[in-house]
Amino acid sequence: MVSISAKLHLVNNSANQCAGTAHAPAGLSARMQKTRLSITHHARELTAAHGFTGFTVDQLCVAVGISRRTFFNYFATKIDAVFGHDDDGIPVGALDRFIASRPAGLVGISPTLQADLVALIIEQLNRDEQAIGSTQGFFAAVHREPELLERMVQVGPERQAEFLRLVAQREGVEPTHPGLELLVHSLQFATIKAIDRYLASESGLSLAEQYLAVLKMGQDLYCQPLTRQ
Amino acid sequence: MVSISAKLHLVNNSANQCAGTAHAPAGLSARMQKTRLSITHHARELTAAHGFTGFTVDQLCVAVGISRRTFFNYFATKIDAVFGHDDDGIPVGALDRFIASRPAGLVGISPTLQADLVALIIEQLNRDEQAIGSTQGFFAAVHREPELLERMVQVGPERQAEFLRLVAQREGVEPTHPGLELLVHSLQFATIKAIDRYLASESGLSLAEQYLAVLKMGQDLYCQPLTRQ
């Protein structure tokens, strides 16, 4: 029997339904993107505190400081707000910098691919560091509420697949390249471990520093021989 | 916003409810373990073909060639049968060999940890190679059925945590050691990629060979520098 943990990831990767639901126009201003992020941030905080059914859109609007009308300019439903817009995962401009940082004239996978991905994720962690405390409570709530869980099992793999497509395109390989999939998956999994340590630790290390420390510990093991000599 | 994919893993790792439900006595004979594995294998095949509600325990018993009474000696419910017994993930004896293969007198993490884990997983893949075809269909079904999905989100992290405890114990470190978690998680994720390639490929490579090839591709990237110099 293939382990259930492994199977869980098969499930995670078998959903491909698009999760894009926001109504805001393309090319948002910085102010509008900040509002959209703030809606999702507060929606998650409220979910963590009261459960998904424990607050209304009106209460969410009060928390954010916007009108109902403004809310519906950004999201069609409360659950859409909770899961956020597809484009809000990565800070504006960071993806372009990631794409541009591949050395020109290279053939095959860049020797700086991992470093470029780590730099991209660190930009994201630095942006989210202040709001990260509510993340854990939110995901505990997702786990308790089947409606949220089902949505997450759809949205997670879709976004991961979309990100993999971008990385594969930069590298000129297929998105099914197993090395890429393993790397991206592992770098994302490591963010969770880094967040756990950041929230539990009194070391004063930043989230980015915790992330690099976690990656280093993983790398020490990944680079061991795969078979006994 | 931390990515939803990453969050999905947080969810996966936040459940710790015990999944052990089998009624069979400890220290099963080889014949009894074979029967128990066969029940789970057929339960998954039937789920893949007809959905979880699309077959009865009686039909499952016919497929396995056992009586209802025998079935209930092993599992209390149909869903327990589908998820299998905690002890059936790893072939009998393989775990003991894994524990014993750490070099004596060592301090700190074994330089052969990854190789020993890979050898253990390959024993499992070799045992399951014949039955692996039904795995994909089963997990597609899990994804469609909330009852199965909820159970999997409970069982997966619990079994992964239990396995991590064993590995950490062998190495004399905490089970929360981030390097161990990353390694075990990644080695399990790689089994899914290997199964995909095994089922899709006409290369004639065994599942174990595909697994090693996937790991090698991942390793080439993991061992790149973590930051730009």
Side-chain angles (χ1 to χ4, degrees), chain B residues 26-27 33 36 84-92 127 159:
Chain B
Q33 190 172 44
R36 193 168 69 185
H85 191 275
D86 283 349
D87 294 345
D88 286 344
I90 294 171
V92 180
R127 184 196 64 180
R159 292 188 183 168

Side-chain angles (χ1 to χ4, degrees), chain A residues 1-15 37 40-41 44 83 88-89 101-103 109-116 118 124-125 127-128 132 135-136 138-140 142-143 146 149-150 152-157 159-160 176-183 185-186 188-193 195-197 212 214-219 221-228, chain B residues 1-15 37 40-41 44 83 88-89 101-103 109-116 118 124-125 127-128 132 135-136 138-140 142-143 146 149-150 152-157 159-160 176-183 185-186 188-193 195-197 212 214-219 221-228:
Chain A
M1 297 287 138
V2 172
S3 80
I4 290 278
S5 317
K7 287 161 195 158
L8 196 51
H9 297 114
L10 183 59
V11 172
N12 295 353
N13 283 280
S14 64
L37 272 165
T40 297
H41 172 53
R44 291 181 182 182
F83 283 93
D88 287 343
S101 60
R102 177 178 158 98
I109 288 183
S110 328
T112 59
L113 175 60
Q114 175 159 251
D116 295 341
V118 168
Q124 190 185 344
L125 294 178
R127 185 196 63 181
D128 295 345
I132 219 76
T135 301
Q136 283 193 330
F138 169 61
F139 287 103
V142 168
H143 193 260
L149 184 60
E150 278 186 73
M152 187 178 285
V153 173
Q154 283 186 336
V155 171
R159 293 188 183 167
Q160 181 152 333
T176 53
H177 185 293
L180 276 198
E181 284 195 75
L182 254 64
L183 179 65
H185 184 86
S186 175
Q188 292 191 324
F189 182 70
T191 64
I192 298 306
K193 298 297 130 194
I195 291 168
D196 289 348
R197 285 166 70 88
L212 282 171
V214 165
L215 289 181
K216 183 68 184 67
M217 284 185 270
Q219 191 177 47
L221 296 177
Y222 287 141
C223 296
Q224 287 187 350
L226 292 170
T227 52
R228 279 191 173 242
Chain B
M1 298 287 138
V2 173
S3 80
I4 290 278
S5 317
K7 288 160 196 159
L8 196 51
H9 297 114
L10 183 58
V11 171
N12 295 353
N13 284 280
S14 64
L37 271 166
T40 297
H41 172 53
R44 291 181 181 183
F83 283 93
D88 286 344
S101 59
R102 176 178 159 99
I109 288 183
S110 329
T112 59
L113 174 59
Q114 175 159 249
D116 294 341
V118 168
Q124 190 185 345
L125 293 178
R127 184 196 64 180
D128 294 345
I132 218 77
T135 301
Q136 282 195 330
F138 170 61
F139 287 103
V142 169
H143 193 260
L149 184 60
E150 279 185 75
M152 187 178 285
V153 173
Q154 284 187 336
V155 172
R159 292 188 183 168
Q160 181 152 334
T176 54
H177 184 293
L180 276 198
E181 284 196 75
L182 255 64
L183 180 65
H185 184 86
S186 176
Q188 292 190 324
F189 183 70
T191 63
I192 298 306
K193 298 297 131 193
I195 291 168
D196 289 348
R197 285 167 70 88
L212 282 171
V214 165
L215 289 180
K216 183 68 183 66
M217 284 185 270
Q219 191 176 50
L221 295 177
Y222 287 140
C223 297
Q224 287 187 350
L226 291 170
T227 53
R228 280 191 173 242

Side-chain angles (χ1 to χ4, degrees), chain B residues 56-76:
Chain B
T56 63
V57 168
D58 286 324
Q59 288 167 323
L60 172 56
C61 289
V62 170
V64 182
I66 57 172
S67 67
R68 271 179 76 85
R69 183 171 170 166
T70 300
F71 175 87
F72 289 109
N73 277 337
Y74 291 98
F75 295 105

Side-chain angles (χ1 to χ4, degrees), chain A residues 52-222:
Chain A
F52 180 64
T53 54
F55 67 98
T56 64
V57 169
D58 286 324
Q59 289 168 322
L60 172 56
C61 290
V62 170
V64 182
I66 56 172
S67 67
R68 270 180 76 86
R69 183 168 170 170
T70 300
F71 175 87
F72 288 109
N73 276 338
Y74 291 98
F75 295 107
T77 66
K78 190 170 72 168
I79 196 169
D80 292 336
V82 159
F83 283 93
H85 190 275
D86 283 348
D87 295 344
D88 287 343
I90 295 171
V92 180
L95 200 58
D96 295 337
R97 283 191 291 282
F98 168 74
I99 300 293
S101 60
R102 177 178 158 98
L106 206 65
V107 175
I109 288 183
S110 328
T112 59
L113 175 60
Q114 175 159 251
D116 295 341
L117 284 167
V118 168
L120 173 64
I121 293 170
I122 283 180
E123 271 200 65
Q124 190 185 344
L125 294 178
N126 285 339
R127 185 196 63 181
D128 295 345
E129 185 162 348
Q130 296 312 312
I132 219 76
S134 58
T135 301
Q136 283 193 330
F138 169 61
F139 287 103
V142 168
H143 193 260
R144 288 191 302 269
E145 304 199 29
E147 185 184 358
L148 297 185
L149 184 60
E150 278 186 73
R151 172 65 80 99
M152 187 178 285
V153 173
Q154 283 186 336
V155 171
E158 162 59 23
R159 293 188 183 167
Q160 181 152 333
E162 175 58 28
F163 184 63
L164 259 176
R165 274 191 291 276
L166 285 165
V167 177
Q169 202 176 351
R170 186 189 109 143
E171 298 302 314
V173 300
E174 293 294 316
T176 53
H177 185 293
L180 276 198
E181 284 195 75
L182 254 64
L183 179 65
V184 166
H185 184 86
S186 175
L187 291 176
Q188 292 191 324
F189 182 70
T191 64
I192 298 306
K193 298 297 130 194
I195 291 168
D196 289 348
R197 285 166 70 88
Y198 173 75
L199 293 175
S201 155
E202 291 169 1
S203 63
L205 290 182
S206 71
L207 184 50
E209 287 165 335
Q210 290 281 12
Y211 184 58
L212 282 171
V214 165
L215 289 181
K216 183 68 184 67
M217 284 185 270
Q219 191 177 47
D220 287 346
L221 296 177
Y222 287 141

